[in-house]
Structures are given as C-alpha cells and as structure tokens.
Amino acid sequence: MDEKEAARAAVREFLTTRRARVTPADAGLPPQGTRRRVKGLRREEVALLAGVSPEYYVRLERGQATGPSAGVVDAVAGVLRLDDDERAHLDRLLAALTPAARKRSRGAAKDLVTPGIRVLLDSMDHLPAVVFNGRFDILAVNTLGHALLAPVFELPGRTNSARFLFLDEPRARDLFPEWDGIAADTVAMLRIEAGRHPDDPDLTGLIGELATRSTEFRARWATNDVRTPRAGAKTFRHPLIGEVTLPYETLRIDAVSGQILSVYTPRPGTPEADAIRLLASWNADPDSRNTRPEPRGLT
C-alpha cells in the first residue's frame, strides 16, 4: 500500500468506526421498522444530518474528497459526536491526504534528550520522573522513576512501555492493577502518533510487532480510539511499597518535538508521598537492595 492509499485507509477506518458508535436514536432520527444491516448510522444518514450530499460524504469517508471545507468537517464531526481529540485527529488525517502534508509528516519524534532535561530529571530526587517520546520509548528516567517502573526495563529489546504492557502482559497486569484502562489509553495515544507521523519506520515497526504478537493490542487498535496525553492518576502494585495510586502530570518538552516529561506528584504528607519516600530510601541504600522488605499496603 502506497502513502496515498494508506492515508485514505486511515480516514476510512476512523470515520467508519466513529459512525458505528452513533445510533439513529442518538442522532434524533425517527425509529424505522425495517431491520438495519449496519451498526450505527448509515452513510446517507450522516450526509442528511450534516447537510451534504450522500455522494460527497461517501467520497469524504473514502478519503477521496478534495479539500473539504471547515464547515463540512465541523458538521460531520458534530453528527459523529467527535470529542476534541477525535476532531483534531480527523483534521490531521484529512490534511495527510495532500502530498505536501505527507512530506512534512516525516519529522518523527526525536530520541535525543537535551542536557537541560537530564539536569532537571536528576534534580527531582523526591519525585519519580520519566521522559517518553510519542512511541512510548523511554528516553530518560531519574533514579526514583527507574525504581518505580523497574519491571518495564527488564523486558528484552527496546525499552518501551507499550511493549511492556502487551508483550509482558502477566507482569504488566501485576504492576498495573488497572491494566485495561492503561492499555486502552496507550493504544489511543499511539493512534494519535500514527496520525501525526504515518511514515515513521520505528512507529510502524512497533505497531506491527504489537499487532502480530498481542491479541489484546489488535482488539484495541481496531477501535480507532484516540486520546492525547494529559494529567491523571495511575495505580501501581509495587513489590516494595504495595498498592499505591499516584497522581501524575504530563509536560510537553518544547525543545524537542514529540517528547513528554511525566512526573508522579503525590502531595506532601499523604500516604502516597510516604510510600515514595520509602522507595527512595530503599533505593538509596545499596545494602538494602539485597534484602527486599515485605510488600506493604497503604492504610
């Protein structure tokens, strides 16, 4: 499949899966007595609700429409109930249909971490911190971040959190009790990255590896869901500090496109902060590494 066909396929798959989510009742259409043969809205129903001809919407969904106006895309996005992440993703997919945009998209995420970011990581000796690129390669991590995410670094091959989630699934489920949600978010963010950089060979190779080796990844990839990185909270079941839920912040690194600094930020004085302090204390004492404490839980 050449670049143009790949771009068209991405538009088609995304719009088809979004259309399948919206029922006629959701869209305010009257009930129909005949048995429906499609899941969600038909193409002609989307066209009717968006105020475009059925023929034009078919071309749009197939990636064959030439330069759809912002008003048309807005109308379609409204009918399909796209959220902000999905609308931005659709804009990128439609833009990628032009040769100039496909050429610009080849600037994939860089793997070089600047000296200033490394100084910043090292200075955060009380908070776990890690730098990812858009493919979820771990590019840099501070000592405490390495201790928190230790199992991720034990998987042979590229140090990549998506590979750990899907190719070392039993241990990933042990480390992340809420594995299903984390897995879904990870795939949705990889979808965003694929929309930004469809020609990145490292990203293509990663997606191919995961799709070949993991049925869980294939199922989630087929949904075409998208999500941008944002702050939240993640639960760990750590062998040293027990089960702990840590808030985190995600910060884009402006100096290098595509890199994200993720910092776990438990509030001072909380049990979560105490757990991280315990992890830091254990990690700082070389003698204690040979005698691991019994796992504990937060009370």
Side-chain angles (χ1 to χ4, degrees), residues 50-52 56 67-78 87:
V52 299
Y56 184 82
S69 69
V72 168
V73 179
D74 280 340
V76 170
R87 172 57 200 270

Side-chain angles (χ1 to χ4, degrees), residues 31 33-34 45 58 68 70 143 219 243 260 263:
T34 59
E45 290 170 335
V58 169
T143 301
E243 188 164 311
I260 293 175
V263 185

Side-chain angles (χ1 to χ4, degrees), residues 51-243:
V52 299
S53 71
E55 295 77 14
Y56 184 82
Y57 179 75
V58 169
R59 294 201 306 273
L60 178 67
E61 189 172 286
R62 291 176 176 173
Q64 297 171 339
T66 303
S69 69
V72 168
V73 179
D74 280 340
V76 170
V79 172
L80 299 181
R81 300 188 170 193
L82 303 188
D83 62 23
D84 291 343
D85 288 344
E86 291 170 330
R87 172 57 200 270
H89 184 63
L90 177 59
D91 286 341
R92 284 189 294 269
L93 295 181
L94 292 174
L97 293 172
T98 64
R102 290 198 298 272
K103 185 175 181 180
R104 289 195 302 270
S105 76
R106 290 171 184 163
K110 306 299 182 182
D111 294 345
L112 180 65
V113 176
T114 65
I117 293 298
R118 292 190 181 276
V119 170
L120 179 61
L121 284 174
D122 292 340
S123 70
M124 290 189 288
D125 56 0
H126 62 298
L127 296 175
V130 59
V131 176
F132 295 92
N133 62 17
R135 299 184 297 268
F136 288 97
D137 293 330
I138 296 179
L139 305 180
V141 62
N142 66 2
T143 301
L144 197 49
H146 194 287
L148 181 65
L149 299 169
V152 180
F153 298 92
E154 297 172 7
L155 181 67
R158 178 191 301 181
T159 303
N160 178 283
S161 63
R163 291 185 75 249
F164 173 71
L165 281 172
F166 292 103
L167 303 187
D168 200 356
E169 188 181 327
R171 287 205 302 169
R173 286 183 181 273
D174 283 343
L175 182 62
F176 301 117
E178 298 173 349
W179 182 91
D180 288 285
I182 294 172
D185 286 346
T186 297
V187 175
M189 286 185 269
L190 281 175
R191 267 289 179 190
I192 291 280
E193 187 69 7
R196 289 193 177 110
H197 304 294
D199 303 313
D200 175 9
D202 290 330
L203 177 60
T204 302
L206 172 66
I207 292 169
E209 179 186 24
L210 297 179
T212 300
R213 299 176 59 185
S214 170
T215 57
E216 292 281 2
F217 178 85
R218 287 198 301 275
R220 287 166 175 77
W221 187 255
T223 66
N224 268 269
D225 290 339
V226 293
R227 185 181 188 274
T228 56
R230 55 176 63 93
K234 188 175 293 184
T235 300
F236 293 82
R237 188 186 294 119
H238 197 276
L240 298 175
I241 58 177
E243 188 164 311

